[in-house]
Amino acid sequence: GAGVSQSPSNKVTEKGKDVELRCDPISGHTALYWYRQSLGQGLEFLIYFQGNSAPDKSGLPSDRFSAERTGGSVSTLTIQRTQQEDSAVYLCASSPRRSSYNEQFFGPGTRLTVL
Amino acid sequence: AQSVTQPDIHITVSEGASLELRCNYSYGATPYLFWYVQSPGQGLQLLLKYFSGDTLVQGIKGFEAEFKRSQSSFNLRKPSVHWSDAAEYFCAVASGTYKYIFGTGTRLKVLA
């Protein structure tokens, strides 16, 4: 079956512009996660969804970052007024349900470059 | 606080040689540990995971890892590396019920 997909694969934007990054999880997966991977850094947790709810937004770096999930499926990560330090690869993952036992399946990521 | 340390940023090995990638974790409870591999332009793929039981875990692509509680380590090994193993490898510990904490990764280069 299809894996986790993300779009766009690459996004170049100018400082101050807003961007939207999309994630399509594996069908039937109720848990969805966003991570940020910066150069030389590990993966940084941003936000977690269970269904359409986000019980843990603790990793969002600032109020310029927001995310939503609709229909228990597609999720959008929005970055407003982008800054150069937002440049990174944004990875989405999904799992069948919320549990440490469950493998998280990752998408290929969106590489964001802020000029 | 929970953390994962991968002390080697880069490792270079010759094809056919053995490989060991180090991972140390800090976690108060029994850890759930994972190794993921990321090929260029790809997402992360799970190699193996440890929850409990046998401390030597077998994974895909001929990889294995050994959990050593006394050393807080979960090192990844492969007896004979193939050129296709060149990638970045991430160790992770599950924090709470779902959140993963990742190390900074080890980039593996394989010489022909």
Side-chain angles (χ1 to χ4, degrees), chain A residues 35 37 42-43 45 48 56 58 98-104 106-108, chain B residues 32 34 36 38 43-44 46 49 51 90 94 96-100 102-104:
Chain A
Y35 293 87
Q37 184 179 19
L43 276 74
F45 169 83
Y48 153 72
D56 188 348
S58 62
R98 185 191 78 171
S99 170
S100 298
Y101 291 96
N102 287 123
E103 173 187 351
Q104 294 184 16
F106 283 81
Chain B
Y32 302 139
F34 307 82
Y36 278 84
Q38 185 180 35
L44 277 72
L46 181 70
K49 58 188 176 184
F51 293 149
F90 292 92
T97 58
Y98 56 85
K99 191 183 300 184
Y100 284 19
F102 284 87
T104 52

PDB file of all heavy atoms in Angstrom, chain A residues 35 37 42-43 45 48 56 58 98-104 106-108, chain B residues 32 34 36 38 43-44 46 49 51 90 94 96-100 102-104:
ATOM      1  N   TYR A  35       8.024  16.390  12.540  1.00  0.00           N
ATOM      2  CA  TYR A  35       9.361  16.600  13.051  1.00  0.00           C
ATOM      3  C   TYR A  35      10.085  17.596  12.152  1.00  0.00           C
ATOM      4  O   TYR A  35       9.757  17.747  10.984  1.00  0.00           O
ATOM      5  CB  TYR A  35      10.170  15.291  13.047  1.00  0.00           C
ATOM      6  CG  TYR A  35       9.691  14.222  13.992  1.00  0.00           C
ATOM      7  CD1 TYR A  35       8.710  13.310  13.603  1.00  0.00           C
ATOM      8  CD2 TYR A  35      10.232  14.097  15.267  1.00  0.00           C
ATOM      9  CE1 TYR A  35       8.279  12.312  14.454  1.00  0.00           C
ATOM     10  CE2 TYR A  35       9.813  13.100  16.131  1.00  0.00           C
ATOM     11  CZ  TYR A  35       8.837  12.214  15.720  1.00  0.00           C
ATOM     12  OH  TYR A  35       8.420  11.219  16.577  1.00  0.00           O
ATOM     13  N   GLN A  37      14.038  18.530  10.880  1.00  0.00           N
ATOM     14  CA  GLN A  37      15.413  18.052  10.816  1.00  0.00           C
ATOM     15  C   GLN A  37      16.282  19.164  10.260  1.00  0.00           C
ATOM     16  O   GLN A  37      16.242  19.465   9.078  1.00  0.00           O
ATOM     17  CB  GLN A  37      15.498  16.801   9.929  1.00  0.00           C
ATOM     18  CG  GLN A  37      16.875  16.177   9.871  1.00  0.00           C
ATOM     19  CD  GLN A  37      16.896  14.930   9.003  1.00  0.00           C
ATOM     20  OE1 GLN A  37      16.020  14.702   8.175  1.00  0.00           O
ATOM     21  NE2 GLN A  37      17.894  14.086   9.196  1.00  0.00           N
ATOM     22  N   GLY A  42      19.523  16.433  15.201  1.00  0.00           N
ATOM     23  CA  GLY A  42      18.668  15.261  15.091  1.00  0.00           C
ATOM     24  C   GLY A  42      17.286  15.692  14.659  1.00  0.00           C
ATOM     25  O   GLY A  42      17.076  16.825  14.217  1.00  0.00           O
ATOM     26  N   LEU A  43      16.363  14.802  14.779  1.00  0.00           N
ATOM     27  CA  LEU A  43      14.982  15.136  14.469  1.00  0.00           C
ATOM     28  C   LEU A  43      14.340  15.748  15.702  1.00  0.00           C
ATOM     29  O   LEU A  43      14.368  15.167  16.775  1.00  0.00           O
ATOM     30  CB  LEU A  43      14.209  13.889  14.047  1.00  0.00           C
ATOM     31  CG  LEU A  43      14.343  13.498  12.583  1.00  0.00           C
ATOM     32  CD1 LEU A  43      15.707  12.902  12.305  1.00  0.00           C
ATOM     33  CD2 LEU A  43      13.248  12.539  12.190  1.00  0.00           C
ATOM     34  N   PHE A  45      11.003  16.970  17.564  1.00  0.00           N
ATOM     35  CA  PHE A  45       9.566  16.783  17.596  1.00  0.00           C
ATOM     36  C   PHE A  45       8.861  18.131  17.582  1.00  0.00           C
ATOM     37  O   PHE A  45       9.233  19.045  18.310  1.00  0.00           O
ATOM     38  CB  PHE A  45       9.186  16.008  18.854  1.00  0.00           C
ATOM     39  CG  PHE A  45       7.716  15.968  19.160  1.00  0.00           C
ATOM     40  CD1 PHE A  45       6.896  15.044  18.536  1.00  0.00           C
ATOM     41  CD2 PHE A  45       7.150  16.865  20.048  1.00  0.00           C
ATOM     42  CE1 PHE A  45       5.539  15.003  18.816  1.00  0.00           C
ATOM     43  CE2 PHE A  45       5.791  16.827  20.338  1.00  0.00           C
ATOM     44  CZ  PHE A  45       4.980  15.894  19.715  1.00  0.00           C
ATOM     45  N   TYR A  48       2.033  16.434  17.685  1.00  0.00           N
ATOM     46  CA  TYR A  48       1.450  15.104  17.560  1.00  0.00           C
ATOM     47  C   TYR A  48      -0.057  15.224  17.467  1.00  0.00           C
ATOM     48  O   TYR A  48      -0.662  16.001  18.193  1.00  0.00           O
ATOM     49  CB  TYR A  48       1.860  14.282  18.778  1.00  0.00           C
ATOM     50  CG  TYR A  48       0.912  13.180  19.168  1.00  0.00           C
ATOM     51  CD1 TYR A  48       0.812  12.032  18.393  1.00  0.00           C
ATOM     52  CD2 TYR A  48       0.141  13.285  20.312  1.00  0.00           C
ATOM     53  CE1 TYR A  48      -0.050  11.015  18.749  1.00  0.00           C
ATOM     54  CE2 TYR A  48      -0.726  12.268  20.680  1.00  0.00           C
ATOM     55  CZ  TYR A  48      -0.819  11.134  19.908  1.00  0.00           C
ATOM     56  OH  TYR A  48      -1.669  10.137  20.264  1.00  0.00           O
ATOM     57  N   ASP A  56      -0.487  17.314  21.984  1.00  0.00           N
ATOM     58  CA  ASP A  56       0.867  17.727  22.315  1.00  0.00           C
ATOM     59  C   ASP A  56       1.409  18.628  21.216  1.00  0.00           C
ATOM     60  O   ASP A  56       1.749  18.153  20.127  1.00  0.00           O
ATOM     61  CB  ASP A  56       1.771  16.511  22.515  1.00  0.00           C
ATOM     62  CG  ASP A  56       3.141  16.886  23.053  1.00  0.00           C
ATOM     63  OD1 ASP A  56       3.487  18.094  23.060  1.00  0.00           O
ATOM     64  OD2 ASP A  56       3.879  15.975  23.457  1.00  0.00           O
ATOM     65  N   SER A  58       3.879  20.764  22.096  1.00  0.00           N
ATOM     66  CA  SER A  58       4.976  21.325  22.883  1.00  0.00           C
ATOM     67  C   SER A  58       6.221  21.632  22.074  1.00  0.00           C
ATOM     68  O   SER A  58       7.048  22.433  22.483  1.00  0.00           O
ATOM     69  CB  SER A  58       5.341  20.368  24.023  1.00  0.00           C
ATOM     70  OG  SER A  58       5.793  19.122  23.496  1.00  0.00           O
ATOM     71  N   ARG A  98      -1.588   5.658  18.992  1.00  0.00           N
ATOM     72  CA  ARG A  98      -0.641   6.244  19.914  1.00  0.00           C
ATOM     73  C   ARG A  98      -0.055   5.171  20.817  1.00  0.00           C
ATOM     74  O   ARG A  98      -0.753   4.570  21.610  1.00  0.00           O
ATOM     75  CB  ARG A  98      -1.323   7.303  20.771  1.00  0.00           C
ATOM     76  CG  ARG A  98      -0.388   8.056  21.677  1.00  0.00           C
ATOM     77  CD  ARG A  98      -1.145   8.875  22.671  1.00  0.00           C
ATOM     78  NE  ARG A  98      -1.661   8.069  23.769  1.00  0.00           N
ATOM     79  CZ  ARG A  98      -2.209   8.572  24.867  1.00  0.00           C
ATOM     80  NH1 ARG A  98      -2.350   9.877  24.979  1.00  0.00           N
ATOM     81  NH2 ARG A  98      -2.648   7.795  25.805  1.00  0.00           N
ATOM     82  N   SER A  99       1.200   4.893  20.627  1.00  0.00           N
ATOM     83  CA  SER A  99       1.850   3.914  21.492  1.00  0.00           C
ATOM     84  C   SER A  99       3.340   3.895  21.196  1.00  0.00           C
ATOM     85  O   SER A  99       3.742   3.990  20.042  1.00  0.00           O
ATOM     86  CB  SER A  99       1.286   2.518  21.258  1.00  0.00           C
ATOM     87  OG  SER A  99       2.080   1.542  21.926  1.00  0.00           O
ATOM     88  N   SER A 100       4.123   3.743  22.216  1.00  0.00           N
ATOM     89  CA  SER A 100       5.557   3.616  22.005  1.00  0.00           C
ATOM     90  C   SER A 100       5.893   2.332  21.273  1.00  0.00           C
ATOM     91  O   SER A 100       6.942   2.223  20.652  1.00  0.00           O
ATOM     92  CB  SER A 100       6.295   3.624  23.333  1.00  0.00           C
ATOM     93  OG  SER A 100       6.097   4.837  24.004  1.00  0.00           O
ATOM     94  N   TYR A 101       4.968   1.345  21.340  1.00  0.00           N
ATOM     95  CA  TYR A 101       5.227   0.082  20.672  1.00  0.00           C
ATOM     96  C   TYR A 101       5.131   0.217  19.154  1.00  0.00           C
ATOM     97  O   TYR A 101       5.635  -0.616  18.425  1.00  0.00           O
ATOM     98  CB  TYR A 101       4.207  -0.976  21.112  1.00  0.00           C
ATOM     99  CG  TYR A 101       4.350  -1.410  22.543  1.00  0.00           C
ATOM    100  CD1 TYR A 101       3.587  -0.835  23.539  1.00  0.00           C
ATOM    101  CD2 TYR A 101       5.240  -2.415  22.889  1.00  0.00           C
ATOM    102  CE1 TYR A 101       3.716  -1.251  24.859  1.00  0.00           C
ATOM    103  CE2 TYR A 101       5.369  -2.834  24.204  1.00  0.00           C
ATOM    104  CZ  TYR A 101       4.598  -2.255  25.177  1.00  0.00           C
ATOM    105  OH  TYR A 101       4.717  -2.665  26.478  1.00  0.00           O
ATOM    106  N   ASN A 102       4.423   1.232  18.733  1.00  0.00           N
ATOM    107  CA  ASN A 102       4.144   1.313  17.311  1.00  0.00           C
ATOM    108  C   ASN A 102       5.247   2.024  16.544  1.00  0.00           C
ATOM    109  O   ASN A 102       5.635   3.127  16.894  1.00  0.00           O
ATOM    110  CB  ASN A 102       2.828   2.042  17.056  1.00  0.00           C
ATOM    111  CG  ASN A 102       1.637   1.198  17.423  1.00  0.00           C
ATOM    112  OD1 ASN A 102       0.820   1.591  18.226  1.00  0.00           O
ATOM    113  ND2 ASN A 102       1.537   0.026  16.836  1.00  0.00           N
ATOM    114  N   GLU A 103       5.670   1.361  15.498  1.00  0.00           N
ATOM    115  CA  GLU A 103       6.624   1.985  14.600  1.00  0.00           C
ATOM    116  C   GLU A 103       5.998   3.219  13.987  1.00  0.00           C
ATOM    117  O   GLU A 103       4.836   3.210  13.602  1.00  0.00           O
ATOM    118  CB  GLU A 103       7.008   1.010  13.500  1.00  0.00           C
ATOM    119  CG  GLU A 103       7.870   1.597  12.404  1.00  0.00           C
ATOM    120  CD  GLU A 103       8.075   0.624  11.263  1.00  0.00           C
ATOM    121  OE1 GLU A 103       7.688  -0.551  11.412  1.00  0.00           O
ATOM    122  OE2 GLU A 103       8.619   1.031  10.232  1.00  0.00           O
ATOM    123  N   GLN A 104       6.768   4.272  13.899  1.00  0.00           N
ATOM    124  CA  GLN A 104       6.344   5.453  13.172  1.00  0.00           C
ATOM    125  C   GLN A 104       6.857   5.340  11.743  1.00  0.00           C
ATOM    126  O   GLN A 104       8.042   5.113  11.519  1.00  0.00           O
ATOM    127  CB  GLN A 104       6.860   6.723  13.852  1.00  0.00           C
ATOM    128  CG  GLN A 104       6.241   6.941  15.228  1.00  0.00           C
ATOM    129  CD  GLN A 104       6.666   8.241  15.879  1.00  0.00           C
ATOM    130  OE1 GLN A 104       7.182   9.142  15.231  1.00  0.00           O
ATOM    131  NE2 GLN A 104       6.428   8.349  17.176  1.00  0.00           N
ATOM    132  N   PHE A 106       7.657   7.075   8.277  1.00  0.00           N
ATOM    133  CA  PHE A 106       8.016   8.429   7.884  1.00  0.00           C
ATOM    134  C   PHE A 106       7.811   8.688   6.394  1.00  0.00           C
ATOM    135  O   PHE A 106       8.039   7.803   5.560  1.00  0.00           O
ATOM    136  CB  PHE A 106       9.483   8.705   8.220  1.00  0.00           C
ATOM    137  CG  PHE A 106       9.719   8.966   9.682  1.00  0.00           C
ATOM    138  CD1 PHE A 106       9.832   7.929  10.576  1.00  0.00           C
ATOM    139  CD2 PHE A 106       9.827  10.268  10.154  1.00  0.00           C
ATOM    140  CE1 PHE A 106      10.041   8.162  11.930  1.00  0.00           C
ATOM    141  CE2 PHE A 106      10.045  10.517  11.491  1.00  0.00           C
ATOM    142  CZ  PHE A 106      10.150   9.458  12.388  1.00  0.00           C
ATOM    143  N   GLY A 107       7.426   9.894   6.085  1.00  0.00           N
ATOM    144  CA  GLY A 107       7.398  10.360   4.709  1.00  0.00           C
ATOM    145  C   GLY A 107       8.778  10.837   4.280  1.00  0.00           C
ATOM    146  O   GLY A 107       9.706  10.882   5.093  1.00  0.00           O
ATOM    147  N   PRO A 108       8.924  11.218   3.005  1.00  0.00           N
ATOM    148  CA  PRO A 108      10.230  11.629   2.473  1.00  0.00           C
ATOM    149  C   PRO A 108      10.640  13.023   2.901  1.00  0.00           C
ATOM    150  O   PRO A 108      11.795  13.408   2.721  1.00  0.00           O
ATOM    151  CB  PRO A 108      10.040  11.546   0.960  1.00  0.00           C
ATOM    152  CG  PRO A 108       8.580  11.772   0.767  1.00  0.00           C
ATOM    153  CD  PRO A 108       7.899  11.151   1.947  1.00  0.00           C
TER     154      PRO A 108
ATOM    155  N   TYR B  32      12.263   2.161  25.291  1.00  0.00           N
ATOM    156  CA  TYR B  32      11.957   1.557  24.001  1.00  0.00           C
ATOM    157  C   TYR B  32      12.923   2.199  23.012  1.00  0.00           C
ATOM    158  O   TYR B  32      12.934   3.416  22.865  1.00  0.00           O
ATOM    159  CB  TYR B  32      10.510   1.821  23.592  1.00  0.00           C
ATOM    160  CG  TYR B  32       9.495   1.322  24.583  1.00  0.00           C
ATOM    161  CD1 TYR B  32       8.366   2.084  24.886  1.00  0.00           C
ATOM    162  CD2 TYR B  32       9.648   0.090  25.213  1.00  0.00           C
ATOM    163  CE1 TYR B  32       7.423   1.642  25.796  1.00  0.00           C
ATOM    164  CE2 TYR B  32       8.714  -0.363  26.125  1.00  0.00           C
ATOM    165  CZ  TYR B  32       7.602   0.407  26.416  1.00  0.00           C
ATOM    166  OH  TYR B  32       6.678  -0.025  27.313  1.00  0.00           O
ATOM    167  N   PHE B  34      15.089   2.371  19.203  1.00  0.00           N
ATOM    168  CA  PHE B  34      14.914   2.167  17.769  1.00  0.00           C
ATOM    169  C   PHE B  34      16.181   2.596  17.034  1.00  0.00           C
ATOM    170  O   PHE B  34      16.894   3.498  17.461  1.00  0.00           O
ATOM    171  CB  PHE B  34      13.748   3.015  17.237  1.00  0.00           C
ATOM    172  CG  PHE B  34      12.452   2.830  17.981  1.00  0.00           C
ATOM    173  CD1 PHE B  34      12.212   3.499  19.165  1.00  0.00           C
ATOM    174  CD2 PHE B  34      11.466   2.001  17.465  1.00  0.00           C
ATOM    175  CE1 PHE B  34      11.017   3.344  19.849  1.00  0.00           C
ATOM    176  CE2 PHE B  34      10.269   1.842  18.144  1.00  0.00           C
ATOM    177  CZ  PHE B  34      10.044   2.505  19.343  1.00  0.00           C
ATOM    178  N   TYR B  36      16.834   3.822  13.020  1.00  0.00           N
ATOM    179  CA  TYR B  36      16.274   4.140  11.719  1.00  0.00           C
ATOM    180  C   TYR B  36      17.418   4.464  10.761  1.00  0.00           C
ATOM    181  O   TYR B  36      18.473   4.949  11.174  1.00  0.00           O
ATOM    182  CB  TYR B  36      15.368   5.376  11.790  1.00  0.00           C
ATOM    183  CG  TYR B  36      13.959   5.122  12.277  1.00  0.00           C
ATOM    184  CD1 TYR B  36      13.677   5.081  13.636  1.00  0.00           C
ATOM    185  CD2 TYR B  36      12.914   4.949  11.377  1.00  0.00           C
ATOM    186  CE1 TYR B  36      12.381   4.876  14.081  1.00  0.00           C
ATOM    187  CE2 TYR B  36      11.614   4.747  11.810  1.00  0.00           C
ATOM    188  CZ  TYR B  36      11.358   4.699  13.169  1.00  0.00           C
ATOM    189  OH  TYR B  36      10.069   4.491  13.613  1.00  0.00           O
ATOM    190  N   GLN B  38      18.219   6.571   7.039  1.00  0.00           N
ATOM    191  CA  GLN B  38      17.714   7.565   6.090  1.00  0.00           C
ATOM    192  C   GLN B  38      18.664   7.642   4.905  1.00  0.00           C
ATOM    193  O   GLN B  38      19.794   8.108   5.029  1.00  0.00           O
ATOM    194  CB  GLN B  38      17.584   8.934   6.754  1.00  0.00           C
ATOM    195  CG  GLN B  38      16.952   9.996   5.864  1.00  0.00           C
ATOM    196  CD  GLN B  38      16.834  11.338   6.566  1.00  0.00           C
ATOM    197  OE1 GLN B  38      17.688  11.714   7.369  1.00  0.00           O
ATOM    198  NE2 GLN B  38      15.771  12.081   6.269  1.00  0.00           N
ATOM    199  N   GLY B  43      12.659   9.192   3.327  1.00  0.00           N
ATOM    200  CA  GLY B  43      12.262   9.269   4.723  1.00  0.00           C
ATOM    201  C   GLY B  43      13.038   8.266   5.545  1.00  0.00           C
ATOM    202  O   GLY B  43      13.932   7.587   5.048  1.00  0.00           O
ATOM    203  N   LEU B  44      12.707   8.176   6.805  1.00  0.00           N
ATOM    204  CA  LEU B  44      13.382   7.246   7.691  1.00  0.00           C
ATOM    205  C   LEU B  44      12.725   5.870   7.612  1.00  0.00           C
ATOM    206  O   LEU B  44      11.496   5.759   7.578  1.00  0.00           O
ATOM    207  CB  LEU B  44      13.319   7.749   9.139  1.00  0.00           C
ATOM    208  CG  LEU B  44      14.371   8.777   9.554  1.00  0.00           C
ATOM    209  CD1 LEU B  44      14.093  10.118   8.910  1.00  0.00           C
ATOM    210  CD2 LEU B  44      14.414   8.912  11.069  1.00  0.00           C
ATOM    211  N   LEU B  46      12.618   2.063   9.476  1.00  0.00           N
ATOM    212  CA  LEU B  46      12.962   1.361  10.699  1.00  0.00           C
ATOM    213  C   LEU B  46      13.838   0.153  10.397  1.00  0.00           C
ATOM    214  O   LEU B  46      13.500  -0.673   9.551  1.00  0.00           O
ATOM    215  CB  LEU B  46      11.690   0.904  11.412  1.00  0.00           C
ATOM    216  CG  LEU B  46      11.903   0.171  12.736  1.00  0.00           C
ATOM    217  CD1 LEU B  46      12.422   1.145  13.804  1.00  0.00           C
ATOM    218  CD2 LEU B  46      10.616  -0.488  13.214  1.00  0.00           C
ATOM    219  N   LYS B  49      14.016  -2.586  16.499  1.00  0.00           N
ATOM    220  CA  LYS B  49      13.528  -1.957  17.725  1.00  0.00           C
ATOM    221  C   LYS B  49      13.693  -2.917  18.884  1.00  0.00           C
ATOM    222  O   LYS B  49      13.698  -4.136  18.709  1.00  0.00           O
ATOM    223  CB  LYS B  49      12.068  -1.543  17.571  1.00  0.00           C
ATOM    224  CG  LYS B  49      11.122  -2.696  17.225  1.00  0.00           C
ATOM    225  CD  LYS B  49       9.737  -2.169  16.894  1.00  0.00           C
ATOM    226  CE  LYS B  49       8.819  -3.300  16.461  1.00  0.00           C
ATOM    227  NZ  LYS B  49       7.479  -2.800  16.032  1.00  0.00           N
ATOM    228  N   PHE B  51      12.107  -3.573  22.817  1.00  0.00           N
ATOM    229  CA  PHE B  51      11.148  -3.229  23.863  1.00  0.00           C
ATOM    230  C   PHE B  51      11.473  -3.955  25.151  1.00  0.00           C
ATOM    231  O   PHE B  51      11.467  -3.385  26.224  1.00  0.00           O
ATOM    232  CB  PHE B  51       9.725  -3.578  23.428  1.00  0.00           C
ATOM    233  CG  PHE B  51       9.224  -2.746  22.287  1.00  0.00           C
ATOM    234  CD1 PHE B  51       8.331  -3.257  21.372  1.00  0.00           C
ATOM    235  CD2 PHE B  51       9.642  -1.435  22.124  1.00  0.00           C
ATOM    236  CE1 PHE B  51       7.874  -2.483  20.313  1.00  0.00           C
ATOM    237  CE2 PHE B  51       9.197  -0.653  21.081  1.00  0.00           C
ATOM    238  CZ  PHE B  51       8.301  -1.190  20.167  1.00  0.00           C
ATOM    239  N   PHE B  90      19.986   6.869  12.514  1.00  0.00           N
ATOM    240  CA  PHE B  90      19.482   7.561  13.693  1.00  0.00           C
ATOM    241  C   PHE B  90      19.048   6.561  14.757  1.00  0.00           C
ATOM    242  O   PHE B  90      18.309   5.618  14.465  1.00  0.00           O
ATOM    243  CB  PHE B  90      18.280   8.446  13.343  1.00  0.00           C
ATOM    244  CG  PHE B  90      18.628   9.621  12.484  1.00  0.00           C
ATOM    245  CD1 PHE B  90      18.549   9.534  11.108  1.00  0.00           C
ATOM    246  CD2 PHE B  90      19.029  10.827  13.058  1.00  0.00           C
ATOM    247  CE1 PHE B  90      18.864  10.630  10.302  1.00  0.00           C
ATOM    248  CE2 PHE B  90      19.338  11.920  12.268  1.00  0.00           C
ATOM    249  CZ  PHE B  90      19.260  11.810  10.893  1.00  0.00           C
ATOM    250  N   ALA B  94      11.903   6.072  22.820  1.00  0.00           N
ATOM    251  CA  ALA B  94      10.515   6.517  22.954  1.00  0.00           C
ATOM    252  C   ALA B  94      10.326   7.096  24.340  1.00  0.00           C
ATOM    253  O   ALA B  94      10.659   6.468  25.345  1.00  0.00           O
ATOM    254  CB  ALA B  94       9.559   5.363  22.728  1.00  0.00           C
ATOM    255  N   GLY B  96       7.719   8.593  27.004  1.00  0.00           N
ATOM    256  CA  GLY B  96       6.299   8.566  27.297  1.00  0.00           C
ATOM    257  C   GLY B  96       5.608   7.531  26.433  1.00  0.00           C
ATOM    258  O   GLY B  96       6.148   6.465  26.170  1.00  0.00           O
ATOM    259  N   THR B  97       4.470   7.861  25.923  1.00  0.00           N
ATOM    260  CA  THR B  97       3.707   6.862  25.181  1.00  0.00           C
ATOM    261  C   THR B  97       3.854   6.976  23.678  1.00  0.00           C
ATOM    262  O   THR B  97       3.373   6.135  22.943  1.00  0.00           O
ATOM    263  CB  THR B  97       2.219   6.986  25.514  1.00  0.00           C
ATOM    264  OG1 THR B  97       1.790   8.305  25.196  1.00  0.00           O
ATOM    265  CG2 THR B  97       1.967   6.706  26.984  1.00  0.00           C
ATOM    266  N   TYR B  98       4.499   8.022  23.193  1.00  0.00           N
ATOM    267  CA  TYR B  98       4.539   8.144  21.741  1.00  0.00           C
ATOM    268  C   TYR B  98       5.691   8.969  21.209  1.00  0.00           C
ATOM    269  O   TYR B  98       6.099   8.817  20.086  1.00  0.00           O
ATOM    270  CB  TYR B  98       3.246   8.805  21.238  1.00  0.00           C
ATOM    271  CG  TYR B  98       2.991  10.142  21.891  1.00  0.00           C
ATOM    272  CD1 TYR B  98       3.563  11.302  21.393  1.00  0.00           C
ATOM    273  CD2 TYR B  98       2.217  10.238  23.033  1.00  0.00           C
ATOM    274  CE1 TYR B  98       3.367  12.519  22.019  1.00  0.00           C
ATOM    275  CE2 TYR B  98       2.016  11.452  23.668  1.00  0.00           C
ATOM    276  CZ  TYR B  98       2.584  12.579  23.149  1.00  0.00           C
ATOM    277  OH  TYR B  98       2.390  13.772  23.777  1.00  0.00           O
ATOM    278  N   LYS B  99       6.221   9.863  22.020  1.00  0.00           N
ATOM    279  CA  LYS B  99       7.191  10.813  21.480  1.00  0.00           C
ATOM    280  C   LYS B  99       8.556  10.162  21.366  1.00  0.00           C
ATOM    281  O   LYS B  99       9.058   9.565  22.298  1.00  0.00           O
ATOM    282  CB  LYS B  99       7.271  12.028  22.392  1.00  0.00           C
ATOM    283  CG  LYS B  99       8.047  13.188  21.818  1.00  0.00           C
ATOM    284  CD  LYS B  99       8.139  14.337  22.806  1.00  0.00           C
ATOM    285  CE  LYS B  99       6.793  14.872  23.214  1.00  0.00           C
ATOM    286  NZ  LYS B  99       6.912  16.051  24.091  1.00  0.00           N
ATOM    287  N   TYR B 100       9.162  10.278  20.203  1.00  0.00           N
ATOM    288  CA  TYR B 100      10.515   9.777  19.999  1.00  0.00           C
ATOM    289  C   TYR B 100      11.511  10.905  20.260  1.00  0.00           C
ATOM    290  O   TYR B 100      11.288  12.035  19.847  1.00  0.00           O
ATOM    291  CB  TYR B 100      10.722   9.318  18.557  1.00  0.00           C
ATOM    292  CG  TYR B 100      10.113   7.988  18.172  1.00  0.00           C
ATOM    293  CD1 TYR B 100       9.107   7.382  18.906  1.00  0.00           C
ATOM    294  CD2 TYR B 100      10.542   7.350  17.016  1.00  0.00           C
ATOM    295  CE1 TYR B 100       8.560   6.178  18.524  1.00  0.00           C
ATOM    296  CE2 TYR B 100      10.001   6.141  16.609  1.00  0.00           C
ATOM    297  CZ  TYR B 100       9.002   5.554  17.365  1.00  0.00           C
ATOM    298  OH  TYR B 100       8.461   4.349  16.960  1.00  0.00           O
ATOM    299  N   PHE B 102      15.321  11.639  19.177  1.00  0.00           N
ATOM    300  CA  PHE B 102      16.328  11.146  18.245  1.00  0.00           C
ATOM    301  C   PHE B 102      17.716  11.659  18.596  1.00  0.00           C
ATOM    302  O   PHE B 102      17.878  12.765  19.121  1.00  0.00           O
ATOM    303  CB  PHE B 102      15.997  11.604  16.826  1.00  0.00           C
ATOM    304  CG  PHE B 102      14.885  10.846  16.175  1.00  0.00           C
ATOM    305  CD1 PHE B 102      13.567  11.237  16.357  1.00  0.00           C
ATOM    306  CD2 PHE B 102      15.147   9.754  15.378  1.00  0.00           C
ATOM    307  CE1 PHE B 102      12.533  10.539  15.754  1.00  0.00           C
ATOM    308  CE2 PHE B 102      14.123   9.048  14.765  1.00  0.00           C
ATOM    309  CZ  PHE B 102      12.815   9.443  14.961  1.00  0.00           C
ATOM    310  N   GLY B 103      18.718  10.849  18.250  1.00  0.00           N
ATOM    311  CA  GLY B 103      20.080  11.341  18.263  1.00  0.00           C
ATOM    312  C   GLY B 103      20.337  12.191  17.034  1.00  0.00           C
ATOM    313  O   GLY B 103      19.468  12.333  16.157  1.00  0.00           O
ATOM    314  N   THR B 104      21.521  12.761  16.959  1.00  0.00           N
ATOM    315  CA  THR B 104      21.852  13.659  15.855  1.00  0.00           C
ATOM    316  C   THR B 104      22.277  12.925  14.601  1.00  0.00           C
ATOM    317  O   THR B 104      22.497  13.545  13.569  1.00  0.00           O
ATOM    318  CB  THR B 104      22.962  14.638  16.264  1.00  0.00           C
ATOM    319  OG1 THR B 104      24.053  13.897  16.807  1.00  0.00           O
ATOM    320  CG2 THR B 104      22.454  15.620  17.313  1.00  0.00           C
TER     321      THR B 104
END
